[in-house]
Short mmCIF file of all heavy atoms in Angstrom, two decimals:
data_model
loop_
_atom_site.label_atom_id
_atom_site.label_comp_id
_atom_site.label_asym_id
_atom_site.label_seq_id
_atom_site.Cartn_x
_atom_site.Cartn_y
_atom_site.Cartn_z
N ALA A 19 -19.91 2.91 -5.68
CA ALA A 19 -21.07 3.07 -4.83
C ALA A 19 -21.14 4.42 -4.12
O ALA A 19 -22.24 4.96 -3.90
CB ALA A 19 -21.08 1.98 -3.73
N ARG A 20 -20.01 4.93 -3.75
CA ARG A 20 -19.99 6.24 -3.05
C ARG A 20 -19.72 7.41 -4.00
O ARG A 20 -19.93 8.57 -3.65
CB ARG A 20 -18.92 6.20 -1.93
CG ARG A 20 -19.34 5.14 -0.88
CD ARG A 20 -18.25 4.83 0.13
NE ARG A 20 -18.08 5.91 1.05
CZ ARG A 20 -17.23 5.83 2.14
NH1 ARG A 20 -16.56 4.74 2.40
NH2 ARG A 20 -17.06 6.89 2.90
N GLY A 21 -19.14 7.13 -5.17
CA GLY A 21 -18.96 8.17 -6.19
C GLY A 21 -17.74 9.05 -5.96
O GLY A 21 -17.71 10.22 -6.37
N TYR A 22 -16.70 8.55 -5.36
CA TYR A 22 -15.44 9.25 -5.20
C TYR A 22 -14.30 8.31 -4.86
O TYR A 22 -14.50 7.12 -4.60
CB TYR A 22 -15.51 10.34 -4.13
CG TYR A 22 -16.22 9.91 -2.87
CD1 TYR A 22 -15.61 9.05 -1.96
CD2 TYR A 22 -17.46 10.39 -2.50
CE1 TYR A 22 -16.23 8.71 -0.78
CE2 TYR A 22 -18.08 10.04 -1.37
CZ TYR A 22 -17.47 9.16 -0.46
OH TYR A 22 -18.11 8.80 0.66
N HIS A 23 -13.05 8.84 -4.91
CA HIS A 23 -11.85 8.07 -4.56
C HIS A 23 -11.65 8.12 -3.03
O HIS A 23 -11.81 9.17 -2.40
CB HIS A 23 -10.65 8.65 -5.22
CG HIS A 23 -10.61 8.52 -6.69
ND1 HIS A 23 -11.18 9.40 -7.55
CD2 HIS A 23 -10.09 7.54 -7.54
CE1 HIS A 23 -10.99 9.05 -8.86
NE2 HIS A 23 -10.31 7.93 -8.84
N LEU A 24 -11.34 6.95 -2.48
CA LEU A 24 -10.92 6.90 -1.04
C LEU A 24 -9.45 7.04 -0.97
O LEU A 24 -8.69 6.82 -1.98
CB LEU A 24 -11.49 5.59 -0.44
CG LEU A 24 -13.01 5.59 -0.38
CD1 LEU A 24 -13.55 4.16 -0.28
CD2 LEU A 24 -13.49 6.43 0.77
N HIS A 25 -9.00 7.35 0.21
CA HIS A 25 -7.59 7.75 0.38
C HIS A 25 -6.58 6.73 0.03
O HIS A 25 -5.60 7.05 -0.63
CB HIS A 25 -7.39 8.33 1.84
CG HIS A 25 -5.97 8.73 2.13
ND1 HIS A 25 -5.41 8.58 3.38
CD2 HIS A 25 -5.02 9.26 1.34
CE1 HIS A 25 -4.15 9.04 3.31
NE2 HIS A 25 -3.92 9.39 2.10
N ALA A 26 -6.76 5.50 0.47
CA ALA A 26 -5.68 4.51 0.36
C ALA A 26 -6.28 3.16 0.17
O ALA A 26 -7.44 2.89 0.43
CB ALA A 26 -4.82 4.55 1.63
N TRP A 27 -5.40 2.27 -0.38
CA TRP A 27 -5.75 0.93 -0.71
C TRP A 27 -4.69 -0.04 -0.28
O TRP A 27 -3.55 0.19 -0.53
CB TRP A 27 -6.05 0.75 -2.20
CG TRP A 27 -6.25 -0.67 -2.68
CD1 TRP A 27 -7.27 -1.55 -2.37
CD2 TRP A 27 -5.36 -1.41 -3.51
NE1 TRP A 27 -7.14 -2.72 -2.92
CE2 TRP A 27 -5.98 -2.68 -3.69
CE3 TRP A 27 -4.16 -1.19 -4.15
CZ2 TRP A 27 -5.36 -3.70 -4.49
CZ3 TRP A 27 -3.56 -2.17 -4.92
CH2 TRP A 27 -4.17 -3.43 -5.03
N ASP A 28 -5.06 -1.08 0.51
CA ASP A 28 -4.14 -2.09 0.94
C ASP A 28 -4.41 -3.39 0.19
O ASP A 28 -5.43 -4.03 0.34
CB ASP A 28 -4.34 -2.30 2.50
CG ASP A 28 -3.55 -3.51 2.97
OD1 ASP A 28 -2.52 -3.96 2.36
OD2 ASP A 28 -3.97 -4.03 4.04
N GLU A 29 -3.46 -3.79 -0.66
CA GLU A 29 -3.68 -4.95 -1.50
C GLU A 29 -3.91 -6.16 -0.60
O GLU A 29 -4.73 -7.08 -0.99
CB GLU A 29 -2.48 -5.16 -2.42
CG GLU A 29 -2.60 -6.35 -3.37
CD GLU A 29 -1.49 -6.57 -4.30
OE1 GLU A 29 -0.27 -6.24 -3.91
OE2 GLU A 29 -1.72 -7.04 -5.43
N LYS A 30 -3.20 -6.31 0.48
CA LYS A 30 -3.25 -7.54 1.31
C LYS A 30 -4.50 -7.49 2.33
O LYS A 30 -4.75 -8.46 2.91
CB LYS A 30 -1.98 -7.71 2.10
CG LYS A 30 -0.76 -7.82 1.25
CD LYS A 30 -0.81 -9.10 0.34
CE LYS A 30 0.55 -9.28 -0.38
NZ LYS A 30 0.55 -10.42 -1.24
N LYS A 31 -5.09 -6.31 2.40
CA LYS A 31 -6.26 -6.15 3.31
C LYS A 31 -5.93 -6.44 4.74
O LYS A 31 -6.78 -7.00 5.53
CB LYS A 31 -7.47 -6.95 2.80
CG LYS A 31 -7.84 -6.75 1.37
CD LYS A 31 -8.95 -7.68 0.91
CE LYS A 31 -9.40 -7.41 -0.52
NZ LYS A 31 -8.26 -7.74 -1.53
N THR A 32 -4.71 -6.11 5.20
CA THR A 32 -4.29 -6.50 6.55
C THR A 32 -4.19 -5.26 7.46
O THR A 32 -4.12 -5.42 8.69
CB THR A 32 -2.97 -7.16 6.54
OG1 THR A 32 -1.93 -6.35 5.89
CG2 THR A 32 -3.03 -8.53 5.81
N GLN A 33 -4.16 -4.07 6.92
CA GLN A 33 -4.08 -2.84 7.78
C GLN A 33 -5.32 -2.68 8.61
O GLN A 33 -6.48 -3.06 8.12
CB GLN A 33 -3.80 -1.62 6.88
CG GLN A 33 -2.55 -1.66 6.12
CD GLN A 33 -1.32 -1.76 7.07
OE1 GLN A 33 -1.22 -1.10 8.05
NE2 GLN A 33 -0.39 -2.65 6.71
N PHE A 34 -5.24 -2.08 9.75
CA PHE A 34 -6.39 -1.93 10.64
C PHE A 34 -7.51 -1.06 9.99
O PHE A 34 -8.60 -1.21 10.27
CB PHE A 34 -5.90 -1.27 11.98
CG PHE A 34 -5.54 0.17 11.87
CD1 PHE A 34 -6.50 1.17 12.16
CD2 PHE A 34 -4.23 0.60 11.58
CE1 PHE A 34 -6.22 2.54 12.07
CE2 PHE A 34 -3.96 1.96 11.45
CZ PHE A 34 -4.93 2.89 11.71
N TRP A 35 -7.03 -0.17 9.07
CA TRP A 35 -8.05 0.72 8.47
C TRP A 35 -8.65 0.15 7.18
O TRP A 35 -9.59 0.67 6.65
CB TRP A 35 -7.41 2.04 8.09
CG TRP A 35 -6.03 2.00 7.45
CD1 TRP A 35 -4.86 2.16 7.99
CD2 TRP A 35 -5.78 1.66 5.99
NE1 TRP A 35 -3.80 2.00 7.07
CE2 TRP A 35 -4.39 1.74 5.86
CE3 TRP A 35 -6.62 1.40 4.90
CZ2 TRP A 35 -3.81 1.44 4.59
CZ3 TRP A 35 -5.99 1.17 3.70
CH2 TRP A 35 -4.59 1.25 3.53
N ALA A 36 -8.15 -1.01 6.74
CA ALA A 36 -8.52 -1.54 5.42
C ALA A 36 -9.77 -2.38 5.52
O ALA A 36 -9.95 -3.27 6.41
CB ALA A 36 -7.37 -2.45 4.90
N ASP A 37 -10.71 -2.09 4.68
CA ASP A 37 -11.98 -2.89 4.52
C ASP A 37 -11.54 -4.31 4.18
O ASP A 37 -10.66 -4.54 3.23
CB ASP A 37 -12.86 -2.30 3.44
CG ASP A 37 -14.16 -3.05 3.26
OD1 ASP A 37 -14.15 -4.08 2.59
OD2 ASP A 37 -15.16 -2.57 3.85
N LYS A 38 -12.13 -5.31 4.81
CA LYS A 38 -11.68 -6.69 4.63
C LYS A 38 -12.06 -7.28 3.25
O LYS A 38 -11.56 -8.20 2.83
CB LYS A 38 -12.26 -7.58 5.79
CG LYS A 38 -11.76 -7.23 7.12
CD LYS A 38 -10.24 -7.08 7.21
CE LYS A 38 -9.72 -6.62 8.61
NZ LYS A 38 -8.24 -6.33 8.55
N GLN A 39 -13.03 -6.57 2.60
CA GLN A 39 -13.46 -7.00 1.25
C GLN A 39 -12.72 -6.25 0.15
O GLN A 39 -12.28 -6.88 -0.80
CB GLN A 39 -14.98 -6.84 1.07
CG GLN A 39 -15.88 -7.53 2.13
CD GLN A 39 -15.58 -9.02 2.17
OE1 GLN A 39 -15.50 -9.70 1.10
NE2 GLN A 39 -15.43 -9.55 3.41
N THR A 40 -12.57 -4.96 0.30
CA THR A 40 -12.04 -4.17 -0.74
C THR A 40 -10.59 -3.71 -0.51
O THR A 40 -9.89 -3.31 -1.44
CB THR A 40 -12.87 -2.89 -0.90
OG1 THR A 40 -12.76 -2.08 0.25
CG2 THR A 40 -14.31 -3.26 -1.20
N GLY A 41 -10.10 -3.71 0.75
CA GLY A 41 -8.80 -3.20 1.09
C GLY A 41 -8.79 -1.65 1.17
O GLY A 41 -7.68 -1.06 1.40
N LEU A 42 -9.89 -0.98 1.04
CA LEU A 42 -9.95 0.46 1.03
C LEU A 42 -10.06 1.09 2.42
O LEU A 42 -10.64 0.48 3.31
CB LEU A 42 -11.12 0.94 0.19
CG LEU A 42 -11.08 0.85 -1.34
CD1 LEU A 42 -12.36 1.07 -1.93
CD2 LEU A 42 -10.05 1.83 -1.83
N SER A 43 -9.47 2.28 2.57
CA SER A 43 -9.63 3.05 3.75
C SER A 43 -11.07 3.52 3.81
O SER A 43 -11.75 3.58 2.79
CB SER A 43 -8.68 4.26 3.74
OG SER A 43 -8.85 5.04 2.63
N PRO A 44 -11.59 3.84 5.03
CA PRO A 44 -13.01 4.13 5.14
C PRO A 44 -13.42 5.49 4.68
O PRO A 44 -14.64 5.66 4.33
CB PRO A 44 -13.25 4.06 6.67
CG PRO A 44 -11.90 4.29 7.25
CD PRO A 44 -10.85 3.75 6.36
N ASN A 45 -12.49 6.48 4.53
CA ASN A 45 -12.93 7.85 4.25
C ASN A 45 -12.21 8.45 3.07
O ASN A 45 -11.08 8.05 2.74
CB ASN A 45 -12.65 8.73 5.45
CG ASN A 45 -13.49 8.34 6.67
OD1 ASN A 45 -14.69 8.22 6.59
ND2 ASN A 45 -12.78 8.11 7.77
N PRO A 46 -12.89 9.36 2.45
CA PRO A 46 -12.23 10.19 1.41
C PRO A 46 -11.54 11.36 2.15
O PRO A 46 -12.01 11.86 3.18
CB PRO A 46 -13.30 10.73 0.52
CG PRO A 46 -14.48 10.86 1.48
CD PRO A 46 -14.28 9.72 2.50
N TRP A 47 -10.32 11.76 1.69
CA TRP A 47 -9.61 12.85 2.29
C TRP A 47 -9.40 13.92 1.12
O TRP A 47 -8.71 13.54 0.19
CB TRP A 47 -8.28 12.34 2.82
CG TRP A 47 -7.40 13.39 3.46
CD1 TRP A 47 -7.76 14.47 4.17
CD2 TRP A 47 -5.96 13.47 3.37
NE1 TRP A 47 -6.63 15.17 4.62
CE2 TRP A 47 -5.56 14.57 4.12
CE3 TRP A 47 -4.95 12.64 2.82
CZ2 TRP A 47 -4.19 14.96 4.32
CZ3 TRP A 47 -3.66 12.98 2.96
CH2 TRP A 47 -3.25 14.13 3.68
N SER A 48 -9.90 15.08 1.30
CA SER A 48 -9.88 16.01 0.19
C SER A 48 -8.44 16.34 -0.26
O SER A 48 -8.24 16.44 -1.51
CB SER A 48 -10.58 17.30 0.62
OG SER A 48 -11.97 17.12 0.70
N ARG A 49 -7.47 16.48 0.66
CA ARG A 49 -6.19 16.79 0.20
C ARG A 49 -5.59 15.66 -0.64
O ARG A 49 -4.86 15.92 -1.65
CB ARG A 49 -5.29 17.13 1.33
CG ARG A 49 -4.06 17.99 0.90
CD ARG A 49 -3.07 18.23 2.01
NE ARG A 49 -3.72 18.69 3.22
CZ ARG A 49 -3.02 18.63 4.39
NH1 ARG A 49 -1.85 18.10 4.48
NH2 ARG A 49 -3.71 19.03 5.48
N SER A 50 -5.87 14.47 -0.33
CA SER A 50 -5.38 13.36 -1.17
C SER A 50 -6.01 13.32 -2.54
O SER A 50 -5.34 12.95 -3.55
CB SER A 50 -5.51 11.98 -0.45
OG SER A 50 -6.83 11.56 -0.49
N ILE A 51 -7.30 13.60 -2.62
CA ILE A 51 -7.98 13.71 -3.90
C ILE A 51 -7.27 14.88 -4.71
O ILE A 51 -7.13 14.78 -5.90
CB ILE A 51 -9.46 14.02 -3.73
CG1 ILE A 51 -10.08 12.79 -3.12
CG2 ILE A 51 -10.11 14.27 -5.11
CD1 ILE A 51 -11.56 12.95 -2.64
N GLY A 52 -6.93 15.96 -4.02
CA GLY A 52 -6.25 17.07 -4.64
C GLY A 52 -4.88 16.64 -5.16
O GLY A 52 -4.50 16.99 -6.28
N TRP A 53 -4.09 15.87 -4.44
CA TRP A 53 -2.80 15.36 -4.89
C TRP A 53 -2.99 14.54 -6.12
O TRP A 53 -2.23 14.64 -7.11
CB TRP A 53 -2.12 14.45 -3.84
CG TRP A 53 -1.64 15.10 -2.62
CD1 TRP A 53 -1.91 14.72 -1.29
CD2 TRP A 53 -0.63 16.19 -2.45
NE1 TRP A 53 -1.16 15.57 -0.41
CE2 TRP A 53 -0.37 16.43 -1.11
CE3 TRP A 53 0.06 16.97 -3.48
CZ2 TRP A 53 0.50 17.36 -0.69
CZ3 TRP A 53 0.94 17.96 -2.98
CH2 TRP A 53 1.09 18.16 -1.59
N TYR A 54 -3.99 13.71 -6.15
CA TYR A 54 -4.27 12.80 -7.30
C TYR A 54 -4.61 13.70 -8.57
O TYR A 54 -4.14 13.42 -9.62
CB TYR A 54 -5.42 11.85 -6.94
CG TYR A 54 -5.74 10.85 -8.03
CD1 TYR A 54 -4.74 9.96 -8.51
CD2 TYR A 54 -7.00 10.77 -8.60
CE1 TYR A 54 -5.07 9.01 -9.49
CE2 TYR A 54 -7.34 9.86 -9.58
CZ TYR A 54 -6.30 8.97 -10.01
OH TYR A 54 -6.61 7.99 -10.95
#
């Protein structure tokens, strides 16, 4: 939907930053996209 990779994913969806539906962090971080 947003057209890029987001920084992190929580399989259990329990982290404070994790989307309750997808487990994804809310933002893309350019350096992490660079590491990938």
Side-chain angles (χ1 to χ4, degrees):
R20 296 169 71 172
Y22 44 71
H23 293 88
L24 292 159
H25 176 212
W27 171 67
D28 170 22
E29 182 178 33
K30 301 296 187 186
K31 306 178 180 65
T32 58
Q33 296 301 314
F34 73 92
W35 47 258
D37 183 278
K38 297 310 176 188
Q39 303 302 315
T40 66
L42 283 169
S43 57
N45 295 307
W47 180 37
S48 289
R49 203 185 312 163
S50 72
I51 295 172
W53 289 126
Y54 183 60

